[in-house]
Amino acid sequence: MPSENVTVAPRFHPQMSEQDRKNERRLADRIAAALTRTPLIGKSFVRAAPLHGGKTSTVYKLTASDETLAVLKLAGDIAFMRTEAAALSCWRALGINTPEVLDVGEFSGEPSLPYLLLEFIEGENLLGYLESQTGECKNIQRDLGAIQARLHQFRVQGFGEAVWDGVSFRGTQTSFRAELAESGFEDVLAFARTDGRIEQSDLARIESATRVLESHAESCGTRLLHTDFRAGNILYSPNSKRIYTVIDPSAVVSHPYMCLSYSLVLTEIHGRSDPIHILEGYEQIERVDRSALSAARLLRAILMLRSFGRDKTTSYAKGLQKVIRCETDV
Ligand SMILES: Nc1ncnc2c1ncn2[C@@H]1O[C@H](COP(=O)(O)OP(=O)(O)OP(=O)(O)O)[C@@H](O)[C@H]1O
Ligand SMILES: [Mg+2]
């Protein structure tokens, strides 16, 4: 039965330009038309409300006429959505809490709208919870470390962008070095060298770090990584059996410390908690080789300049600079 009277609220923000508002209204109309035409998982979803967050994709909470809830995530790339769906399902099969994947597909039209339909998880975004606390929440940080190590127990082949072939994951590159090149490492190095943040004398350290990880990857093997593992991508439900639920992976196949060091460096930069607690939690599941971790911290911190570190003056860029200069260590 097609839905009737589907109400979709556009994602408006106070500072939005008129053009952005128009685009959001158009998107909301398209979603309403798609939900009217296509009853997902056999349900008539009649309401869609934008969820907090969702900077890289559009995320809506859906309510069906029988009050069933679900989350609809829209992004530009169907391959990306399928990989996210497969990663969440793989980890769920390992016993890690992730939302159940209810459907993944594309709404027709020009361009088509790739979507992922997820189980709605009752809970609070863990970042919001941590920000509301005065202390360090060491136990939560340890739990996060242990969950991340459990995610990394999924062993795979190759390096780089994760591809799901329906049976198993593999990376699109054959070596760690090729993966760094694919991820734009040279471009980041180039701009960081131009503005003096990386000097000629650092290049030998960077080369040595690359070699250390290449060699360590041979013994530790590559794993399916979340790569954006942080409190903002965890839902927290302290009074339920599923206290933590992991969402929003940008799944990549690589050396696990490239993912671990991202979480450690972010925690260090934000300064709210000592990253040692995450590491302690991680080591409850798997021992960490400190020299390979230092190598990964250096390379990951350089890569992190790519997203928000271009402006040298931000506290984020200054924090990354300290890690790159090895002024801090875990
Ligand atoms: N299955 C779910 N159940 C309940 N809430 C969810 C679910 N999935 C996502 N959310 C909410 O929607 C927000 C955005 O989702 P998500 O992190 O997947 O999107 P995103 O666009 O990649 O986000 P961002 O760029 O902000 O990290 C989450 O922070 C969370 O609050
Ligand atoms: Mg997110």
Side-chain angles (χ1 to χ4, degrees):
M1 268 277 283
S3 303
E4 282 166 33
N5 300 325
V6 181
T7 317
V8 179
R11 297 192 314 163
F12 287 160
H13 308 295
Q15 306 87 349
M16 238 178 193
S17 69
E18 203 35 55
Q19 185 55 47
D20 285 345
R21 277 168 191 269
K22 259 192 202 158
N23 293 342
E24 285 296 331
R25 207 171 287 122
R26 211 173 292 140
L27 179 63
D29 289 346
R30 274 198 73 184
I31 297 170
L35 292 177
T36 307
R37 247 188 350 256
T38 327
L40 300 177
I41 55 164
K43 300 263 177 202
S44 292
F45 284 104
V46 289
R47 277 197 311 281
L51 278 170
H52 175 75
K55 289 182 211 82
T56 49
S57 48
T58 305
V59 186
Y60 276 94
K61 176 179 177 179
L62 299 187
T63 309
S65 47
D66 65 0
E67 296 301 315
T68 301
L69 299 176
V71 167
L72 181 71
K73 189 165 175 176
L74 301 159
D77 187 345
I78 182 67
F80 188 78
M81 291 276 83
R82 288 198 194 286
T83 302
E84 178 166 341
L88 291 172
S89 303
C90 273
W91 286 320
R92 198 175 156 84
L94 285 184
I96 301 162
N97 296 332
T98 61
E100 185 184 350
V101 174
L102 304 175
D103 193 13
V104 57
E106 280 178 280
F107 293 132
S108 57
E110 206 35 67
S112 69
L113 270 185
Y115 68 81
L116 179 59
L117 189 72
L118 298 171
E119 169 194 11
F120 178 82
I121 305 291
E122 291 291 350
E124 179 181 359
N125 191 294
L126 182 59
L127 180 63
Y129 176 79
L130 291 177
E131 283 177 346
S132 71
Q133 303 298 300
T134 44
E136 260 195 301
C137 301
K138 290 181 193 172
N139 289 341
I140 293 184
Q141 300 293 348
R142 270 188 213 110
D143 289 346
L144 292 188
I147 293 168
Q148 190 173 23
R150 288 178 62 214
L151 294 175
H152 293 173
Q153 299 311 294
F154 195 85
R155 290 168 185 269
V156 265
Q157 297 288 317
F159 291 86
E161 201 188 322
V163 177
W164 170 249
D165 60 15
V167 182
S168 65
F169 278 100
R170 60 187 165 75
T172 49
Q173 300 296 327
T174 52
S175 73
F176 180 70
R177 201 173 280 275
E179 176 196 331
L180 270 188
E182 182 198 40
S183 58
F185 194 73
E186 294 303 323
D187 292 344
V188 187
L189 269 192
F191 84 72
R193 284 202 65 192
T194 317
D195 67 17
R197 278 187 276 179
I198 290 183
E199 295 163 6
Q200 177 70 29
S201 56
D202 295 322
L203 297 182
R205 270 193 318 125
I206 294 168
E207 174 56 25
S208 152
T210 310
R211 288 213 188 118
V212 166
L213 276 192
E214 275 180 322
S215 140
H216 192 255
E218 281 172 26
S219 56
C220 108
T222 54
R223 321 284 178 90
L224 183 65
L225 311 181
H226 187 290
T227 73
D228 196 11
F229 191 83
R230 55 186 170 88
N233 281 330
I234 308 282
L235 299 171
Y236 184 55
S237 322
N239 299 323
S240 96
K241 266 200 236 155
R242 303 195 297 183
I243 300 177
Y244 306 101
T245 304
V246 178
I247 59 167
D248 195 18
S250 300
V252 157
V253 175
S254 190
H255 192 296
Y257 299 174
M258 291 303 275
C259 184
L260 172 61
S261 54
Y262 168 82
S263 310
L264 297 176
V265 169
L266 263 193
T267 307
E268 186 175 329
I269 290 177
H270 288 143
R272 227 173 281 121
S273 165
D274 187 333
I276 193 71
H277 308 308
I278 296 181
L279 192 55
E280 283 166 3
Y282 196 97
E283 289 208 297
Q284 288 169 6
I285 308 293
E286 185 171 352
R287 195 187 69 81
V288 173
D289 176 301
R290 291 301 194 274
S291 71
L293 181 62
S294 293
R297 258 167 57 91
L298 173 64
L299 301 178
R300 197 65 170 93
I302 295 172
L303 276 173
M304 285 163 81
L305 288 174
R306 196 179 35 179
S307 359
F308 300 106
R310 283 187 184 253
D311 176 357
K312 270 169 101 162
T313 61
T314 62
S315 60
Y316 181 84
K318 285 180 187 161
L320 287 178
Q321 191 60 13
K322 282 191 180 163
V323 177
I324 293 167
R325 295 256 69 83
C326 298
E327 286 168 14
T328 59
D329 211 347
V330 189

